[in-house]
């Protein structure tokens, strides 16, 4: 059984996306906010560190010395689910253009700084959010 199934990662991701801060309490005409794979990995790791431990990976970012990371794993699995299930998948994806972006930096709740390794690499910065009908 895969880590994805064994640890119920999809449900954990849905919980993390459902807990995204929504600045306007009345909602927004553009829908729920998107999160980058890094933001999602940070949020998931803070609530469920056992997932990264089971995978043997870190959250990710430039300088970790590995191409495998929790952010990369989540982006891959979510992208695969979206491609296979289309509009019936509970999460939707998008990507941020790398045009004129030189850095994306994140900070964990314990103050650890993470710099995106996707920025400027030619790789897309993936974004995810709950579908509007899911856990509104």
């Amino acid at each position: 059984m895969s880590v994805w199934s064994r640890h119920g990662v999809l449900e954990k991701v849905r919980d993390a996306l459902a807990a995204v801060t929504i600045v306007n309490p009345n909602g927004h005409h553009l829908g729920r906010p998107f999160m980058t794979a890094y933001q999602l990995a940070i949020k998931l790791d803070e609530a469920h560190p056992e997932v990264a431990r089971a995978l043997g990976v870190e959250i990710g970012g430039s300088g970790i010395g590995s191409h495998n990371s929790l952010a990369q794993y989540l982006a891959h699995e979510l992208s695969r689910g979206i491609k296979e299930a289309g509009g019936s998948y509970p999460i939707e994806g998008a990507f941020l253009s790398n045009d004129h972006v030189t850095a994306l930096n994140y900070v964990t709740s314990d103050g650890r700084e993470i710099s995106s390794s996707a920025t400027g690499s030619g790789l897309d910065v993936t974004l995810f959010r709950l579908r509007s009908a899911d856990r509104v």
Side-chain angles (χ1 to χ4, degrees):
M1 182 184 284
S2 70
V3 169
W4 188 262
S5 297
R6 189 171 61 247
H7 287 273
V9 179
L10 179 57
E11 189 61 28
K12 289 174 172 54
V13 166
R14 289 173 72 187
D15 291 344
L17 291 172
V20 171
T21 302
I22 299 175
V23 176
N24 184 342
N26 297 320
H28 195 282
H29 69 277
L30 294 178
R32 297 183 61 80
F34 281 92
M35 292 185 85
T36 69
Y38 281 98
Q39 290 171 299
L40 185 54
I42 290 167
K43 198 172 217 28
L44 184 77
D45 193 58
E46 289 174 349
H48 303 284
E50 70 276 5
V51 174
R53 277 196 306 269
L55 292 166
V57 296
E58 296 180 45
I59 291 171
S62 59
I64 68 165
S66 175
H67 291 291
N68 298 320
S69 68
L70 183 58
Q72 179 270 333
Y73 171 78
L74 293 173
H76 173 77
E77 291 296 323
L78 292 170
S79 178
R80 186 173 59 79
I82 292 165
K83 184 177 182 180
E84 290 174 1
S88 67
Y89 202 67
I91 296 166
E92 62 181 317
F95 63 93
L96 178 68
S97 166
N98 267 313
D99 291 355
H100 308 289
V101 177
T102 58
L104 286 173
N105 299 308
Y106 307 91
V107 64
T108 62
S109 61
D110 64 0
R112 206 166 16 120
E113 293 185 18
I114 297 174
S115 295
S116 170
S117 59
T119 311
S121 71
L123 298 173
D124 295 325
V125 176
T126 53
L127 304 169
F128 301 98
R129 71 177 176 186
L130 287 178
R131 291 207 177 270
S132 57
D134 197 39
R135 298 185 190 193
V136 176

